[in-house]
Amino acid sequence: MEAGGVADSLLSGACVLFTLIMYSTGLSDLRHMRMTRSVDSVQFLPFLTTDINNLSWLSYGALKGDGTLIFVNATGAVLQTLYISVYLHYCPRKRPMLLQTATLLGVLVLGFGYFWLLVPSPEARLQQLGLFCSTFTISMYLSPLADLAKVIQTKSTQRLSFSLTIATLLTSASWTLYGFQLRDPYIMVPNLPGILTSFIRLWLFWKYSQGQDRNYPLLQT
């Protein structure tokens, strides 16, 4: 195998490994829900939005014929669906969660219908779907900024997860390089905010964790 082929395989493997590690951080919430038989301190919306994000990128990967995108997002969709199912099982008020799920799934189905039925050109379909996936991913990476503002206000990093921050940084960096390698801006650009917000979190850990918050509880963001 040529050196370029080895580098490509290593980069693809890094994307798979780091992304699955990031997704597996939800296993701690899964264990918490099963042990306590409740959903206290566990947020539902991150599971749902990540699942929708996975399904969107899965479609993009299938249309592009990219095995790395397909495997990672198919696995992520299965994990997020598992987290959602367990959450709904233990949640005492299921109606609001089911309404959120139905709303986002409805939007997703309408989007798929538009891309596959009303956009006849495969190239135009790939571009528009890539733009949608990129926009959705960027919004997910920027959504925790409110939590970062609260960390600055309270001068405490208890709201943040150090392990999730590292996993997000490695995942975002590997996908940015992967997108650069493929010359695919729809993969490269939306992961740049993930790198930026991860460095901001690391700075907050350095600034506010000295002498306190030695244990970093997980927070789904």
Side-chain angles (χ1 to χ4, degrees):
M1 184 180 293
E2 296 181 358
V6 173
D8 293 348
S9 298
L10 288 175
L11 183 55
S12 176
C15 290
V16 172
L17 176 63
F18 295 142
T19 306
L20 294 184
I21 289 175
M22 185 176 69
Y23 290 156
S24 67
T25 57
L27 292 173
S28 62
D29 286 327
L30 180 66
R31 182 169 58 252
H32 171 79
M33 289 186 288
R34 293 191 62 187
M35 290 181 62
T36 63
R37 305 185 68 82
S38 72
V39 295
D40 293 341
S41 74
V42 178
Q43 300 180 41
F44 176 76
L45 194 57
F47 294 146
L48 181 58
T49 53
T50 303
D51 203 0
I52 298 299
N53 194 47
N54 286 145
L55 293 173
S56 301
W57 280 109
L58 176 60
S59 299
Y60 181 78
L63 189 59
K64 189 179 178 69
D66 189 304
T68 303
L69 280 173
I70 292 173
F71 176 77
V72 165
N73 288 286
T75 305
V78 170
L79 284 174
Q80 301 305 322
T81 301
L82 173 63
Y83 301 153
I84 289 171
S85 300
V86 174
Y87 189 101
L88 291 175
H89 178 72
Y90 293 113
C91 179
R93 298 178 63 250
K94 296 180 174 56
R95 185 173 179 178
M97 311 307 167
L98 291 173
L99 182 60
Q100 291 179 17
T101 303
T103 300
L104 280 181
L105 285 178
V107 171
L108 188 65
V109 169
L110 289 175
F112 284 167
Y114 167 77
F115 290 127
W116 293 99
L117 299 178
L118 300 180
V119 183
S121 169
E123 183 178 351
R125 189 184 305 155
L126 185 66
Q127 292 176 350
Q128 294 186 29
L129 182 57
L131 181 60
F132 170 80
C133 292
S134 298
T135 303
F136 197 88
T137 300
I138 290 173
S139 67
M140 287 184 60
Y141 275 134
L142 296 181
S143 61
L145 289 179
D147 284 325
L148 300 186
K150 291 179 181 178
V151 169
I152 295 174
Q153 291 175 355
T154 61
K155 297 184 179 181
S156 171
T157 56
Q158 289 183 345
R159 301 180 62 86
L160 302 180
S161 164
F162 186 77
S163 59
L164 182 58
T165 299
I166 296 298
T168 301
L169 175 60
L170 294 174
T171 300
S172 301
S174 60
W175 280 111
T176 298
L177 292 174
Y178 188 75
F180 178 78
Q181 175 198 56
L182 297 180
R183 292 182 172 83
D184 189 332
Y186 301 120
I187 298 176
M188 180 176 63
V189 173
N191 284 285
L192 293 175
I195 298 175
L196 176 62
T197 55
S198 295
F199 276 120
I200 293 175
R201 292 185 187 199
L202 289 175
W203 177 77
L204 290 174
F205 277 113
W206 174 81
K207 184 175 180 61
Y208 296 124
S209 294
Q210 299 180 25
Q212 63 174 358
D213 302 332
R214 293 300 182 186
N215 297 316
Y216 306 118
L218 275 176
L219 174 67
Q220 281 286 339
T221 57

